Amino acid sequence: MSRETFDRELQALQDRVISLGSQVSAMLMDSVLFLKTRDMKGSREIIKTDHKVNEMRYAIEEEVLALIALRQPAAIDLRTLAAILEIAGELERIGDYAKGIGKINLLIGEETLIKPIIDLPIMAQKVQSMLDRVLEAFIDRDIEAARAIPKDDDEIDDFYKQVYTELAALIMAKPSRLEQANYLLWAAHNLERSGDRVINLCERIIFTVTGKLEEID
Amino acid sequence: MNNTKLETKNYSMNYGSFRALEDINMQIPEKQVTALIGPSGCGKSTFLRTFNRMNDLIPGVWIEGEVTMEGKDIFEIDVVNLRQQVGMVFQKPNPFPKSIFDNVAYGPRANGLTDRNALAELVEHSLRGAALWDEVKDDLDKSGLALSGGQQQRLCIARALAVEPSVILMDEPASALDPIATLRIEELIRELRENYTIVIVTHNMQQAARVSDFTGFFYTGESRTGKLIEFDLTRNIFTNPADKRTEDYITGRFG
């Protein structure tokens, strides 16, 4: 096998991972904006897009397995493929969280919102920024960036706690708000979890470069 | 970690003024498979041939450093004795133009064994050890040359086993064989590892990955002098080698 052929195949595979990441990043942001603007049509689109995201992930997995079987990669090539398998899985999960937020919008339906949606778009923006940077770090195999990105997750966690406290107060004041508050809390939870997934991506980038699996707290 | 069976310390080998190997430090563990890999001309076969002193036959060869087996200087061991303990299997199967039985009995007879029953027992034991017995037990009088390539190679392994060595050196033992015969040899190497220390030179990196416990990567720069770049557990070499040159070689970036 010529190295050039394999390099082209790896590059093409990496492009697909980046394209999956960009898709998911946009989806997550949109899902929150549709919730904010109560755009049901948009949310239904998100749910549909999630199928596409799943298919992209399966296609990446198949390609990874094919390259392992056909090219017998070793060392950094093998680690790259193992990392891509994980990264594609994590990205797909973020897609699921976006779909979840889309469903929440549909579940809340015509009801008036118990609070204006302010914090969730900020959280989504922060996750999106982390996600976009992690994809760049993957392209550049930049472990310094991969080690720095997880710090931003603390802010997302703080926002989640704030949303939680606020919703709890709204429920206490008027228990009939429970159902919708629960939905909104789930949306915040999905964003918080998305941030955690981005940290997993950072760990995989470090593994690709160094061969060491290290947990970032 | 197993005991060290073979060891080189600051070992260099020269053909006249040409330095073929330089400063090789390697500890080859007992009853493990050690693979030597590297591009053509990197000195891995030369290094392999050090252990049964085959390089001694080449005029103008001189060495520096130490080569020991179980701590004993191999150059102080009688060479016939050494080669009885360190068997060798070559790239091309090279049975003698004799019967299968006589091929395997050749070494023991040369060592003075004449008892027919003892010879028959040893031949069977060696052929079983080389995973060939079931295929040839009814044809022991047939010529060794009538066997298939893969069988011939296993016959050569049986012949090596018959003198009861503790080390088996293999120089590209499967490169002249088809894939099925290759797999049988690889299986056999894994079985032999129970009782023997095996050192194998191979150009086939996947083969090194499949059969060996330890891998040494040899490389020669501009000087054409072979050096040991990295020696480690095979799983480390193939998942996360420490040296960039090893990584470049095993990922096909050169060589």
Side-chain angles (χ1 to χ4, degrees), chain B residues 45-79:
Chain B
S45 287
T46 303
F47 183 70
L48 185 77
R49 284 152 197 257
T50 298
F51 295 109
N52 67 350
R53 288 176 51 188
M54 273 181 52
N55 297 328
D56 290 17
L57 304 171
I58 305 164
V61 164
W62 56 284
I63 67 150
E64 293 157 88
E66 278 177 49
V67 184
T68 57
M69 181 164 71
E70 293 174 0
K72 286 190 285 286
D73 185 343
I74 66 161
F75 297 98
E76 309 225 317
I77 302 172
D78 171 66
V79 73

Short mmCIF file of all heavy atoms in Angstrom, two decimals, chain B residues 45-79:
data_model
loop_
_atom_site.label_atom_id
_atom_site.label_comp_id
_atom_site.label_asym_id
_atom_site.label_seq_id
_atom_site.Cartn_x
_atom_site.Cartn_y
_atom_site.Cartn_z
N SER B 45 19.68 -9.01 9.79
CA SER B 45 20.09 -10.39 9.56
C SER B 45 21.51 -10.64 10.05
O SER B 45 21.80 -11.69 10.63
CB SER B 45 20.01 -10.75 8.07
OG SER B 45 18.66 -10.87 7.69
N THR B 46 22.36 -9.66 9.84
CA THR B 46 23.74 -9.75 10.34
C THR B 46 23.72 -9.90 11.85
O THR B 46 24.43 -10.72 12.42
CB THR B 46 24.52 -8.48 9.94
OG1 THR B 46 24.48 -8.36 8.53
CG2 THR B 46 25.96 -8.55 10.42
N PHE B 47 22.85 -9.12 12.47
CA PHE B 47 22.75 -9.19 13.93
C PHE B 47 22.27 -10.58 14.36
O PHE B 47 22.81 -11.18 15.28
CB PHE B 47 21.79 -8.11 14.43
CG PHE B 47 21.68 -8.05 15.93
CD1 PHE B 47 22.74 -7.60 16.70
CD2 PHE B 47 20.52 -8.45 16.57
CE1 PHE B 47 22.66 -7.56 18.10
CE2 PHE B 47 20.42 -8.42 17.97
CZ PHE B 47 21.49 -7.97 18.72
N LEU B 48 21.26 -11.10 13.64
CA LEU B 48 20.72 -12.43 13.96
C LEU B 48 21.83 -13.48 13.90
O LEU B 48 21.94 -14.35 14.76
CB LEU B 48 19.60 -12.78 12.97
CG LEU B 48 18.85 -14.09 13.25
CD1 LEU B 48 17.86 -13.90 14.40
CD2 LEU B 48 18.11 -14.57 12.00
N ARG B 49 22.64 -13.39 12.84
CA ARG B 49 23.69 -14.39 12.62
C ARG B 49 24.82 -14.32 13.63
O ARG B 49 25.67 -15.20 13.69
CB ARG B 49 24.26 -14.23 11.20
CG ARG B 49 23.34 -14.77 10.15
CD ARG B 49 23.53 -14.04 8.84
NE ARG B 49 22.38 -14.28 7.97
CZ ARG B 49 22.40 -15.11 6.95
NH1 ARG B 49 23.49 -15.75 6.65
NH2 ARG B 49 21.32 -15.31 6.23
N THR B 50 24.81 -13.23 14.40
CA THR B 50 25.80 -13.12 15.48
C THR B 50 25.64 -14.27 16.46
O THR B 50 26.62 -14.83 16.94
CB THR B 50 25.57 -11.80 16.24
OG1 THR B 50 25.78 -10.72 15.33
CG2 THR B 50 26.51 -11.67 17.42
N PHE B 51 24.36 -14.63 16.73
CA PHE B 51 24.10 -15.51 17.87
C PHE B 51 24.49 -16.97 17.66
O PHE B 51 24.62 -17.71 18.62
CB PHE B 51 22.63 -15.39 18.31
CG PHE B 51 22.30 -14.03 18.84
CD1 PHE B 51 21.49 -13.15 18.11
CD2 PHE B 51 22.83 -13.59 20.04
CE1 PHE B 51 21.21 -11.88 18.59
CE2 PHE B 51 22.54 -12.32 20.52
CZ PHE B 51 21.74 -11.46 19.80
N ASN B 52 24.63 -17.39 16.39
CA ASN B 52 25.20 -18.73 16.21
C ASN B 52 26.57 -18.63 15.52
O ASN B 52 27.08 -19.59 14.98
CB ASN B 52 24.25 -19.67 15.47
CG ASN B 52 24.03 -19.27 14.03
OD1 ASN B 52 24.44 -18.18 13.64
ND2 ASN B 52 23.41 -20.14 13.25
N ARG B 53 27.11 -17.44 15.56
CA ARG B 53 28.47 -17.16 15.05
C ARG B 53 28.63 -17.51 13.58
O ARG B 53 29.71 -17.92 13.14
CB ARG B 53 29.51 -17.86 15.92
CG ARG B 53 29.64 -17.20 17.28
CD ARG B 53 30.57 -17.91 18.22
NE ARG B 53 31.88 -18.19 17.65
CZ ARG B 53 32.81 -18.94 18.25
NH1 ARG B 53 32.56 -19.47 19.42
NH2 ARG B 53 33.95 -19.15 17.68
N MET B 54 27.58 -17.30 12.81
CA MET B 54 27.72 -17.54 11.38
C MET B 54 28.58 -16.48 10.71
O MET B 54 29.17 -16.72 9.67
CB MET B 54 26.35 -17.60 10.71
CG MET B 54 25.80 -19.00 10.76
SD MET B 54 24.21 -19.17 9.96
CE MET B 54 24.48 -18.47 8.38
N ASN B 55 28.64 -15.30 11.34
CA ASN B 55 29.47 -14.24 10.77
C ASN B 55 30.96 -14.57 10.86
O ASN B 55 31.77 -13.99 10.13
CB ASN B 55 29.20 -12.90 11.47
CG ASN B 55 27.76 -12.44 11.27
OD1 ASN B 55 27.16 -12.71 10.23
ND2 ASN B 55 27.20 -11.78 12.26
N ASP B 56 31.29 -15.51 11.76
CA ASP B 56 32.70 -15.90 11.91
C ASP B 56 33.28 -16.42 10.59
O ASP B 56 34.49 -16.37 10.38
CB ASP B 56 32.85 -17.04 12.92
CG ASP B 56 32.58 -16.59 14.35
OD1 ASP B 56 31.98 -15.50 14.50
OD2 ASP B 56 32.95 -17.30 15.28
N LEU B 57 32.38 -16.93 9.76
CA LEU B 57 32.84 -17.56 8.52
C LEU B 57 33.27 -16.54 7.48
O LEU B 57 33.91 -16.86 6.49
CB LEU B 57 31.71 -18.42 7.92
CG LEU B 57 31.15 -19.51 8.85
CD1 LEU B 57 29.91 -20.14 8.23
CD2 LEU B 57 32.22 -20.57 9.11
N ILE B 58 32.88 -15.28 7.70
CA ILE B 58 33.16 -14.25 6.69
C ILE B 58 34.54 -13.66 6.97
O ILE B 58 34.81 -13.22 8.09
CB ILE B 58 32.09 -13.13 6.73
CG1 ILE B 58 30.71 -13.77 6.55
CG2 ILE B 58 32.35 -12.09 5.66
CD1 ILE B 58 29.56 -12.86 6.96
N PRO B 59 35.44 -13.66 5.96
CA PRO B 59 36.78 -13.14 6.20
C PRO B 59 36.74 -11.64 6.50
O PRO B 59 35.91 -10.91 5.94
CB PRO B 59 37.52 -13.38 4.88
CG PRO B 59 36.57 -14.04 3.96
CD PRO B 59 35.24 -14.14 4.59
N GLY B 60 37.61 -11.20 7.36
CA GLY B 60 37.72 -9.77 7.65
C GLY B 60 36.75 -9.26 8.69
O GLY B 60 36.71 -8.07 8.97
N VAL B 61 35.93 -10.16 9.27
CA VAL B 61 34.98 -9.71 10.27
C VAL B 61 35.65 -9.56 11.62
O VAL B 61 36.39 -10.43 12.05
CB VAL B 61 33.79 -10.70 10.39
CG1 VAL B 61 33.02 -10.47 11.67
CG2 VAL B 61 32.87 -10.55 9.19
N TRP B 62 35.43 -8.42 12.24
CA TRP B 62 35.89 -8.27 13.62
C TRP B 62 34.84 -7.54 14.43
O TRP B 62 34.07 -6.75 13.90
CB TRP B 62 37.26 -7.57 13.69
CG TRP B 62 37.31 -6.23 13.02
CD1 TRP B 62 37.37 -5.99 11.68
CD2 TRP B 62 37.30 -4.94 13.65
NE1 TRP B 62 37.41 -4.65 11.43
CE2 TRP B 62 37.39 -3.99 12.62
CE3 TRP B 62 37.27 -4.52 14.99
CZ2 TRP B 62 37.40 -2.61 12.89
CZ3 TRP B 62 37.29 -3.15 15.25
CH2 TRP B 62 37.36 -2.21 14.20
N ILE B 63 34.79 -7.87 15.70
CA ILE B 63 33.72 -7.32 16.54
C ILE B 63 34.27 -6.60 17.76
O ILE B 63 35.41 -6.78 18.16
CB ILE B 63 32.75 -8.42 17.01
CG1 ILE B 63 33.47 -9.38 17.98
CG2 ILE B 63 32.16 -9.19 15.86
CD1 ILE B 63 32.53 -9.97 18.98
N GLU B 64 33.40 -5.78 18.31
CA GLU B 64 33.70 -5.14 19.60
C GLU B 64 32.50 -5.36 20.50
O GLU B 64 31.39 -5.57 20.01
CB GLU B 64 33.89 -3.63 19.40
CG GLU B 64 35.12 -3.26 18.60
CD GLU B 64 34.96 -1.89 17.96
OE1 GLU B 64 35.29 -0.89 18.61
OE2 GLU B 64 34.47 -1.83 16.81
N GLY B 65 32.70 -5.27 21.77
CA GLY B 65 31.61 -5.44 22.72
C GLY B 65 31.42 -6.89 23.11
O GLY B 65 32.26 -7.73 22.79
N GLU B 66 30.28 -7.14 23.76
CA GLU B 66 30.05 -8.48 24.30
C GLU B 66 28.79 -9.09 23.75
O GLU B 66 27.79 -8.41 23.54
CB GLU B 66 29.80 -8.36 25.82
CG GLU B 66 31.03 -8.27 26.67
CD GLU B 66 30.60 -8.09 28.13
OE1 GLU B 66 29.74 -8.86 28.61
OE2 GLU B 66 31.12 -7.16 28.76
N VAL B 67 28.84 -10.41 23.54
CA VAL B 67 27.63 -11.16 23.19
C VAL B 67 27.59 -12.36 24.12
O VAL B 67 28.53 -13.16 24.15
CB VAL B 67 27.65 -11.65 21.73
CG1 VAL B 67 26.32 -12.34 21.39
CG2 VAL B 67 27.91 -10.50 20.77
N THR B 68 26.52 -12.47 24.90
CA THR B 68 26.46 -13.57 25.86
C THR B 68 25.17 -14.36 25.73
O THR B 68 24.14 -13.85 25.28
CB THR B 68 26.55 -13.04 27.31
OG1 THR B 68 25.49 -12.09 27.51
CG2 THR B 68 27.89 -12.37 27.59
N MET B 69 25.28 -15.63 26.10
CA MET B 69 24.09 -16.47 26.22
C MET B 69 24.07 -16.96 27.66
O MET B 69 25.04 -17.56 28.12
CB MET B 69 24.15 -17.65 25.26
CG MET B 69 22.89 -18.52 25.36
SD MET B 69 22.67 -19.64 23.96
CE MET B 69 23.97 -20.79 24.25
N GLU B 70 23.00 -16.69 28.35
CA GLU B 70 22.91 -16.98 29.78
C GLU B 70 24.16 -16.49 30.51
O GLU B 70 24.69 -17.18 31.38
CB GLU B 70 22.69 -18.48 30.01
CG GLU B 70 21.33 -18.92 29.49
CD GLU B 70 21.13 -20.44 29.57
OE1 GLU B 70 22.05 -21.13 30.03
OE2 GLU B 70 20.07 -20.89 29.15
N GLY B 71 24.60 -15.33 30.12
CA GLY B 71 25.73 -14.70 30.80
C GLY B 71 27.10 -15.16 30.34
O GLY B 71 28.11 -14.58 30.73
N LYS B 72 27.13 -16.21 29.48
CA LYS B 72 28.44 -16.71 29.03
C LYS B 72 28.79 -16.12 27.66
O LYS B 72 27.95 -16.07 26.76
CB LYS B 72 28.42 -18.24 28.93
CG LYS B 72 28.44 -18.93 30.30
CD LYS B 72 28.67 -20.42 30.17
CE LYS B 72 27.46 -21.21 29.69
NZ LYS B 72 26.39 -21.40 30.68
N ASP B 73 30.04 -15.70 27.53
CA ASP B 73 30.53 -15.17 26.27
C ASP B 73 30.40 -16.22 25.16
O ASP B 73 31.00 -17.29 25.27
CB ASP B 73 32.01 -14.78 26.49
CG ASP B 73 32.59 -14.10 25.25
OD1 ASP B 73 31.99 -14.20 24.16
OD2 ASP B 73 33.65 -13.46 25.39
N ILE B 74 29.64 -15.92 24.11
CA ILE B 74 29.42 -16.97 23.09
C ILE B 74 30.69 -17.27 22.30
O ILE B 74 30.80 -18.31 21.67
CB ILE B 74 28.27 -16.63 22.11
CG1 ILE B 74 28.59 -15.42 21.23
CG2 ILE B 74 26.95 -16.45 22.83
CD1 ILE B 74 27.72 -15.35 19.98
N PHE B 75 31.65 -16.35 22.34
CA PHE B 75 32.88 -16.60 21.60
C PHE B 75 33.84 -17.52 22.38
O PHE B 75 34.85 -17.93 21.87
CB PHE B 75 33.55 -15.28 21.21
CG PHE B 75 32.68 -14.48 20.27
CD1 PHE B 75 31.88 -13.45 20.75
CD2 PHE B 75 32.62 -14.81 18.92
CE1 PHE B 75 31.05 -12.75 19.89
CE2 PHE B 75 31.78 -14.10 18.07
CZ PHE B 75 30.99 -13.08 18.56
N GLU B 76 33.45 -17.81 23.62
CA GLU B 76 34.25 -18.75 24.40
C GLU B 76 33.63 -20.14 24.40
O GLU B 76 34.23 -21.09 24.88
CB GLU B 76 34.38 -18.24 25.84
CG GLU B 76 34.86 -16.80 25.87
CD GLU B 76 35.94 -16.54 26.87
OE1 GLU B 76 35.82 -17.04 27.99
OE2 GLU B 76 36.89 -15.81 26.50
N ILE B 77 32.40 -20.22 23.87
CA ILE B 77 31.74 -21.52 23.78
C ILE B 77 32.22 -22.18 22.50
O ILE B 77 32.35 -21.51 21.47
CB ILE B 77 30.20 -21.36 23.75
CG1 ILE B 77 29.71 -20.60 24.99
CG2 ILE B 77 29.51 -22.72 23.63
CD1 ILE B 77 28.23 -20.23 24.96
N ASP B 78 32.47 -23.49 22.55
CA ASP B 78 32.84 -24.23 21.34
C ASP B 78 31.74 -24.04 20.30
O ASP B 78 30.55 -24.17 20.60
CB ASP B 78 32.99 -25.72 21.70
CG ASP B 78 33.17 -26.55 20.45
OD1 ASP B 78 34.21 -26.38 19.79
OD2 ASP B 78 32.25 -27.33 20.12
N VAL B 79 32.13 -23.69 19.08
CA VAL B 79 31.13 -23.28 18.09
C VAL B 79 30.15 -24.40 17.74
O VAL B 79 28.97 -24.15 17.49
CB VAL B 79 31.82 -22.67 16.83
CG1 VAL B 79 32.49 -23.74 15.98
CG2 VAL B 79 30.83 -21.86 16.01
#
